[in-house]
Structure formats: C-alpha cells, structure tokens
Amino acid sequence: MNSNEELISKFYTAFANADAKTMCECYHPKVHFIDPAFGLLKEEQVSDMWKMLILRSKGNLKIEFSNVKADEFSGTANWVATYNFTKTNRNVINKISAEFIFQDGLIIKHVDQFDLWKWSKQAFGPTGYLLGWTGFFQKKIQEQALLSLKKFQEAK
C-alpha cells in the first residue's frame, strides 16, 4: 500500500471508529468536498459535516470500505454507510463511490457519488420513492442538509 492508499484507509478506519478528529487530520486545510446531499463544502465545513454526522448517529453508524486505490495524485474507494436516518428513524444502507485528489500528503478534494433517489427511498419511504427522483425534492434534501450543518456550526 502506498502512502495515499494508507491515507484513505486511515480516513475510513477513523470513520468506522467514529473518530472525526483523525478523519479531519487527513484533509488539507483548503479541502473541497462534493456529494449529492450537501453539494459543495469547503475547508472547515467539511470537517464540521463529518463531526455532525458522527455525533447525530449516536453510535448507530456502521462504515465499511473497500477497493482503495491511489497513486501520487488521485485515488478512489468504495464505502457503505449503514445507519438510521435521524429525521424518520428509517434504516439506510448507502453505497458510495469516492474520488480523491491529494496535495502535500493530504486530501485536498473529496467527491462522494451515490444515487440520491435510492437514498431518499430508504430515508423517506413512500415519499422518497414518489418524489426522490425530482430536482425539487433533491434540492430540498440539499437545503435541509446545509441548514443542519449551519445550525451545527453556530452551536459550536
């Protein structure tokens, strides 16, 4: 395993252990993160997102990762998050593909890709099934995620 593969493994091992501090140490101070639920986050927002998600999971979060590959510039991994969505208490199994860009031995860009409709069907049940594929509903999911993050940051 090369150093960037070790960095990705360190990140997901910390996540599996609910260790947000170690996760955040894997990120460059100028990190950019993108995913379907939050959209684009930058710098401190990224670390705060992971801290918030771990805190809200209340120990009910299982993280598994595989297929870690990286060279000196970029990397990829697959990971699965299993948890109860707090708003509905519904069980979610989210399968995610991650891409990374490295700078100065740290992650400077992290992109998570997953099917937001599949996620919304699990998280919201029939409502997610009927509306989760629409741009309107997906925009609402992102607005709520960003509002939750903003409130979390203000409460720090």
Side-chain angles (χ1 to χ4, degrees):
M1 214 186 282
N2 66 44
S3 61
N4 286 332
E5 289 170 338
E6 288 174 2
L7 182 65
I8 294 169
S9 294
K10 177 182 175 181
F11 178 85
Y12 286 114
T13 298
F15 197 5
N17 293 323
D19 180 358
K21 181 179 182 292
T22 299
M23 289 174 72
C24 299
E25 290 169 357
C26 297
Y27 281 136
H28 190 281
K30 299 286 184 189
V31 67
H32 283 62
F33 173 86
I34 302 168
D35 89 343
F38 285 90
L40 172 64
L41 301 177
K42 296 179 182 179
E43 301 169 0
E44 191 177 333
Q45 289 179 310
V46 182
S47 296
D48 286 344
M49 175 199 61
W50 294 122
K51 291 172 187 173
M52 177 184 77
L53 293 174
I54 288 171
L55 187 68
R56 290 194 176 163
S57 73
K58 297 178 182 162
N60 185 21
L61 174 65
K62 180 181 174 189
I63 301 297
E64 299 171 290
F65 66 97
S66 61
N67 300 322
V68 174
K69 297 181 179 114
D71 59 27
E72 62 185 294
F73 304 108
S74 64
T76 58
N78 297 321
W79 63 284
V80 178
T82 304
Y83 59 96
N84 284 340
F85 182 59
T86 49
K87 285 197 185 298
T88 61
N89 201 34
R90 295 178 61 89
N91 191 51
V92 172
I93 301 170
N94 198 14
K95 296 179 181 179
I96 302 154
S97 297
E99 298 175 3
F100 303 92
I101 304 293
F102 306 103
Q103 183 177 314
D104 303 325
L106 297 168
I107 300 165
I108 187 118
K109 185 173 181 185
H110 179 174
V111 178
D112 278 349
Q113 298 175 12
F114 60 90
D115 186 326
L116 193 56
W117 185 34
K118 281 185 182 176
W119 177 88
S120 68
K121 288 188 284 186
Q122 295 176 74
F124 293 101
T127 303
Y129 178 79
L130 293 172
L131 301 174
W133 62 273
T134 66
F136 170 80
F137 196 79
Q138 291 183 1
K139 185 178 179 197
K140 285 292 183 196
I141 290 170
Q142 194 171 96
E143 287 172 358
Q144 281 301 119
L146 291 171
L147 182 61
S148 293
L149 179 57
K150 183 179 178 192
K151 287 179 180 177
F152 178 80
Q153 288 180 304
E154 288 170 353
K156 283 195 323 179

